[in-house]
Amino acid sequence: MPKAFAQIAFTPAAQSFQDRYGTKDAYAKFLEGEELTGRLIEPDHAAFISRMDGFYLSTVSQTGWPYVQFKGGPKGFLKVLNNQHLAYADYRGNRQYLSAGNISQNARVCLILMDYETQQRLKIWGEAQIISLEKDREFVMSTMPANYKADAERTIIIKTKALEWDCPRHIPKRASVEL
C-alpha cells in the first residue's frame, strides 16, 4: 500500500475506526518513512488504464456534496500523458455540466477503474484541470479517440496524487460484451 494513498485516505476519523476495530497498528506502517510512494503512474497502472473503456469519476460540488458519474468511451480513451498525468476528452452528454462545474470550483477528483472480468480495481486521487476548446483546440482534439462518434467539448487533465490497487474480494465477476 503506497504512502500517498495512506496520507489521503487515513484521516483521523478513519484511524479512529481502525483503532476501534483493531487494524490501526497494521496500517500505521504505511504512514511511516520519508519516501512518498504511490503517486506516480507505474507501467502496470498504465497498461491497466489503456485497457479500460470506462471509469467512475467523483467530484465535489461548491456545496460540499459528492457527485459520481460514469465516463465511457473506446478502450484507451483515458490517456496516460506521462508518469503523473492522465487526460480524457470530455464529450457532449446531457449538458448538465455537473462534473465540469464541480472541477472548475474544486480540483480534487477520484477515479475508480473497474475490470469486472479480472476482478481488478484501481483507485486514483488527483487534481483536475479543464482545457477548453477555445483555449487549446488542437490539444483537446488530440485527446479524442480516433473514429469515435462524439463531440469533445473540453479535455480534463488529472495530476495524480495517489494510486492504489484495491482489494478484489467483493468485486463481482462479470464479462463485457463488445458489439
Side-chain angles (χ1 to χ4, degrees):
M1 178 176 301
K3 184 174 180 178
F5 164 75
Q7 284 184 336
I8 290 172
F10 295 170
T11 63
Q15 289 182 37
S16 164
F17 272 81
Q18 290 170 356
D19 191 37
R20 179 177 174 184
Y21 292 100
T23 61
K24 187 173 182 180
D25 290 342
Y27 287 117
K29 65 184 174 193
F30 297 108
L31 293 168
E32 297 171 358
E34 296 297 316
E35 185 181 2
L36 184 61
T37 59
R39 64 183 180 80
L40 300 178
I41 301 166
E42 301 293 339
D44 60 331
H45 299 133
F48 183 78
I49 291 165
S50 73
R51 293 193 314 267
M52 295 294 97
D53 62 1
F55 62 90
Y56 299 92
L57 172 70
S58 175
T59 59
V60 180
S61 74
Q62 285 177 288
T63 56
W65 285 98
Y67 178 69
V68 178
Q69 182 174 36
F70 181 80
K71 296 288 187 179
K75 289 180 181 182
F77 83 100
L78 179 61
K79 300 179 183 319
V80 175
L81 300 180
N82 57 42
N83 70 353
Q84 202 171 9
H85 292 90
L86 304 166
Y88 66 92
D90 194 20
Y91 320 127
R92 180 173 293 149
N94 61 17
R95 304 188 80 157
Q96 292 179 349
Y97 302 109
L98 301 179
S99 296
N102 290 346
I103 290 168
S104 76
Q105 299 299 304
N106 184 338
R108 290 181 176 170
V109 297
C110 188
L111 286 70
I112 298 179
L113 287 71
M114 297 288 297
D115 184 334
Y116 292 100
E117 195 167 344
T118 64
Q119 295 176 293
Q120 290 181 292
R121 173 175 41 211
L122 179 62
K123 298 181 289 188
I124 303 170
W125 285 261
E127 293 178 348
Q129 173 187 1
I130 297 171
I131 306 296
S132 68
L133 278 170
E134 298 80 23
K135 181 177 179 183
D136 193 343
R137 182 176 190 76
E138 186 176 330
F139 177 72
V140 171
M141 297 315 290
S142 76
T143 62
M144 194 61 198
N147 303 318
Y148 189 60
K149 304 244 185 283
D151 295 317
E153 293 190 327
R154 69 198 59 76
T155 290
I156 308 296
I157 298 175
I158 299 163
K159 181 177 184 180
T160 59
K161 295 297 183 178
L163 296 96
E164 169 67 359
W165 292 105
D166 204 4
C167 171
R169 182 180 299 164
H170 300 289
I171 299 173
K173 189 165 179 92
R174 297 186 176 137
S176 294
V177 176
E178 292 188 34
L179 303 174

